[in-house]
């Protein structure tokens, strides 16, 4: 087994939450990013830390040099090892995991492979990810299902209010709830475990879209109490682009038909999903390095820092006239991601100005029937950079 990489000079006991900026400057130094602009659009994918990128390049070299001998002689054992490491990190068995290309692929395997019968229904929220919703609508058309979408408030009185909304929207035909763990538009964290418990009691399955929650939140998969989870590893875990994750509780693997694959594995063997053709092994091998880097920081520590960065700019931006925050008020109901709009300006015009005049890169998302500018810092983001964002918002609004 390979040596775990150490972040030089920064050993930390697990579970310790660091609030000192000097420590975080040391973490930030492990990321090499363009100095030409301030990237506050880390929601698309998460840049790899340098030790992960270096490992990825080493693997590329090795695979290139050995060519098909790598794939034929070494790949099965190397993959099995990565799956062990990943399973330990997730708190599940390797027989419950399959590495996909991304979260959309994982969610498609679930939505398209589920044994729906005509007349059954899928329950979702209006804020769920568009391509996952598209997959649900496509399957609904094909299999004569219905898809219902509910609105979820950003500032509920309690988790119970959200659970009730889902519960009240269930009908006798609802077979599956598709549930986004962290909403990509607003950063809202959904009470997944509580919704899942309610659904389980009603005999309804839950597919969790954990694209943003995986490795952003300090949670292991079994804590969610669901049988089906799709995620990616190239956002918050910081693995190279092109790796996703599918979790299916062992007893339920049989229930999902492979989207790709073959008949060489038993129906209850998760490897039935795996024969998708030749895969890019370097990205998959680097999952181990991404986990090692993540664990040096620690899940709780990382979640706390990301929330601190979000709260840092959101706290200042809330008092700027004309700025409306489109993210939960309760700091615990969101983590890294938040969004805003400026009264009297199109969101795209704001994002364009931020980039052109202030060198700050953000993205526009559809939020609650309108549009907002989404801001997503990363571990390499500094507070002075967030001050630049707040100053930019003050300037833009003052000129209106
Ligand atoms: C909630 C959610 N689901 C799914 C995805 C898709 O992730 P991927 O591009 O890795 O498939 C995203 C990406 O932003 C997302 O935010």
């Amino acid at each position: 087994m390979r040596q775990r990489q150490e972040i030089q000079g920064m050993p930390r006991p697990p579970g310790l939450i660091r609030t000192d900026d000097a420590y975080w400057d040391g973490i930030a130094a492990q990321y090499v990013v363009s100095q030409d602009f301030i990237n506050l659009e880390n929601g698309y994918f998460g840049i790899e830390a340098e030790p992960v990128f270096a490992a990825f390049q080493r693997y590329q070299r090795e695979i290139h040099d050995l060519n098909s001998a790598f794939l034929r002689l070494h790949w099965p054992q190397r993959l099995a090892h990565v799956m062990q490491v990943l399973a330990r990190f997730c708190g599940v068995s390797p027989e419950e995991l399959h590495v996909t290309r991304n979260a959309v692929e994982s969610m498609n395997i679930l939505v398209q492979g589920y044994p729906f019968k005509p007349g059954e229904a899928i329950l979702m929220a209006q804020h769920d990810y568009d391509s996952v919703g598209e997959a649900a609508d496509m399957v609904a058309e094909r299999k004569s299902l219905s898809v219902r979408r509910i609105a979820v408030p950003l500032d509920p009185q309690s988790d119970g209010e959200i659970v009730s909304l889902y519960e009240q929207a269930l009908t006798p035909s609802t077979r599956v709830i598709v549930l986004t763990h962290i909403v990509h538009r607003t950063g809202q964290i959904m009470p997944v475990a509580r919704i899942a418990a309610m659904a389980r009691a009603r005999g309804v399955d839950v597919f969790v879209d954990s694209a943003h929650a995986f490795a952003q939140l300090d949670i292991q998969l079994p804590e969610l109490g669901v049988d089906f989870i799709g995620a990616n590893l190239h956002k918050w875990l910081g693995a190279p682009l092109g790796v996703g994750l599918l979790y299916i509780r062992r007893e339920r693997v049989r229930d999902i038909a492979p989207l790709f694959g073959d008949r060489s594995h038993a129906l209850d063997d998760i490897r039935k999903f795996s024969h998708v053709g030749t895969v890019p092994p370097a990205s998959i091998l680097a999952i181990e390095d991404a986990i090692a880097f993540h664990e040096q920081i620690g899940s709780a520590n990382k979640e706390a820092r990301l929330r601190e960065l979000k709260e840092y700019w959101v706290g200042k931006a809330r008092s700027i006239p004309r700025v409306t925050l489109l993210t939960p008020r309760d700091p615990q109901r969101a983590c890294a991601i938040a969004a805003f709009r400026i009264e009297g300006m199109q969101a795209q015009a704001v994002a364009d100005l931020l980039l052109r005049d202030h060198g700050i890169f953000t993205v526009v998302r559809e939020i609650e029937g309108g549009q907002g500018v989404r801001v997503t810092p990363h571990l390499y983001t500094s507070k002075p950079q967030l001050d630049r964002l707040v100053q930019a918002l003050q300037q833009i609004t003052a000129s209106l």
Side-chain angles (χ1 to χ4, degrees):
M1 186 157 143
R2 293 182 332 89
Q3 289 283 306
R4 277 176 52 147
Q5 274 146 354
E6 296 295 322
I7 300 174
Q8 269 187 343
M10 277 181 291
R12 59 169 292 283
L16 179 68
I17 293 189
R18 301 286 301 255
T19 50
D20 42 320
D21 285 338
Y23 168 82
W24 290 109
D25 287 348
I27 298 294
Q30 302 284 315
Y31 290 87
V32 175
V33 296
S34 169
Q35 298 302 309
D36 297 343
F37 66 104
I38 297 174
N39 185 2
L40 293 179
E41 209 308 67
N42 294 285
Y44 199 158
F45 72 97
I47 182 175
E48 295 136 76
E50 276 303 290
V52 182
F53 188 54
F56 170 72
Q57 288 176 313
R58 281 200 311 276
Y59 299 137
Q60 264 316 28
R61 180 82 257 165
E62 182 186 1
I63 295 155
H64 174 272
D65 291 355
L66 295 183
N67 189 262
S68 45
F70 177 86
L71 285 177
R72 296 203 187 282
L73 303 179
H74 306 294
W75 179 229
Q77 300 88 303
R78 299 280 290 274
L79 175 63
H81 170 70
V82 172
M83 295 311 287
Q84 288 283 352
V85 173
L86 186 57
R88 192 229 352 111
F89 179 68
C90 296
V92 302
S93 154
E95 285 132 45
E96 299 175 305
L97 293 181
H98 165 57
V99 170
T100 59
R101 286 174 294 186
N102 49 50
V104 166
E105 181 177 325
S106 305
M107 295 304 289
N108 264 275
I109 292 173
L110 295 173
V111 173
Q112 301 211 40
Y114 191 82
F116 287 111
K117 294 196 215 59
E120 291 182 335
I122 299 174
L123 176 60
M124 307 184 59
Q126 287 167 3
H127 63 211
D128 290 326
Y129 194 65
D130 306 76
S131 353
V132 176
E134 285 288 322
D137 290 337
M138 187 172 68
V139 172
E141 242 172 59
R142 244 186 240 154
K143 297 191 177 175
S144 305
L145 315 174
S146 59
V147 182
R148 176 163 185 201
R149 289 174 168 85
I150 56 171
V152 177
L154 269 183
D155 291 311
Q157 295 292 320
S158 65
D159 286 348
E161 183 184 333
I162 298 184
V163 179
S164 297
L165 278 175
Y166 277 89
E167 189 166 20
Q168 284 157 21
L170 294 177
T171 69
S173 18
T174 312
R175 196 76 200 276
V176 164
I177 297 176
V178 173
L179 188 58
T180 305
H181 196 164
I182 293 187
V183 179
H184 72 291
R185 307 168 199 279
T186 59
Q188 182 173 16
I189 300 173
M190 297 291 284
V192 171
R194 287 199 53 185
I195 296 169
M198 176 278 292
R200 186 176 293 277
R202 305 286 220 93
V204 173
D205 279 318
V206 177
F207 295 169
V208 175
D209 176 351
S210 190
H212 274 290
F214 191 87
Q216 181 179 163
L217 300 183
D218 179 25
I219 281 177
Q220 283 207 313
L221 300 188
E223 290 171 50
L224 300 179
V226 295
D227 293 345
F228 306 99
I229 302 173
N232 49 35
L233 307 178
H234 51 222
K235 283 198 198 289
W236 294 99
L237 185 63
L241 260 182
V243 277
L245 185 66
L246 173 67
Y247 162 78
I248 306 180
R249 188 165 64 83
R250 198 192 313 245
E251 294 74 16
R252 302 300 305 276
V253 171
R254 169 181 291 279
D255 296 338
I256 305 292
L259 190 54
F260 306 99
D262 57 32
R263 291 166 305 160
S264 59
H265 293 287
L267 286 179
D268 58 359
D269 185 335
I270 199 147
R271 288 173 302 169
K272 72 182 179 184
F273 299 111
S274 65
H275 200 174
V276 297
T278 312
V279 295
S283 304
I284 297 172
L285 291 171
I287 293 170
E288 180 177 4
D289 304 272
I291 290 174
F293 187 83
H294 174 98
E295 288 187 328
Q296 291 281 331
I297 298 168
S299 293
N301 201 26
K302 180 169 171 178
E303 175 181 334
R305 173 62 174 180
L306 291 171
R307 182 170 288 117
E308 183 195 4
L309 291 173
K310 181 260 297 172
E311 283 295 302
Y312 182 82
W313 78 265
V314 162
K316 295 182 180 205
R318 275 201 200 278
S319 57
I320 303 176
R322 287 177 178 264
V323 172
T324 304
L325 270 303
L326 302 166
T327 203
R329 280 191 167 270
D330 177 351
Q332 295 306 316
R333 289 195 183 278
C335 187
I337 302 173
F340 70 93
R341 69 169 66 107
I342 292 181
E343 191 193 313
M345 254 184 110
Q346 295 288 328
Q348 192 57 57
V350 176
D352 291 347
L353 264 189
L354 281 174
L355 187 58
R356 195 194 68 196
D357 293 354
H358 304 275
I360 298 173
F361 185 54
T362 54
V363 70
V364 171
R365 301 284 85 175
E366 302 293 319
I367 302 173
E368 298 194 327
Q371 289 193 323
V373 180
R374 184 179 75 178
V375 173
T376 313
H378 201 295
L379 291 180
Y380 64 81
T381 306
S382 68
K383 288 180 184 168
Q385 289 179 326
L386 295 172
D387 286 333
R388 292 262 303 270
L389 170 69
V390 172
Q391 282 154 15
L393 298 185
Q394 282 161 342
Q395 277 181 29
I396 294 171
T397 51
S399 67
L400 288 174

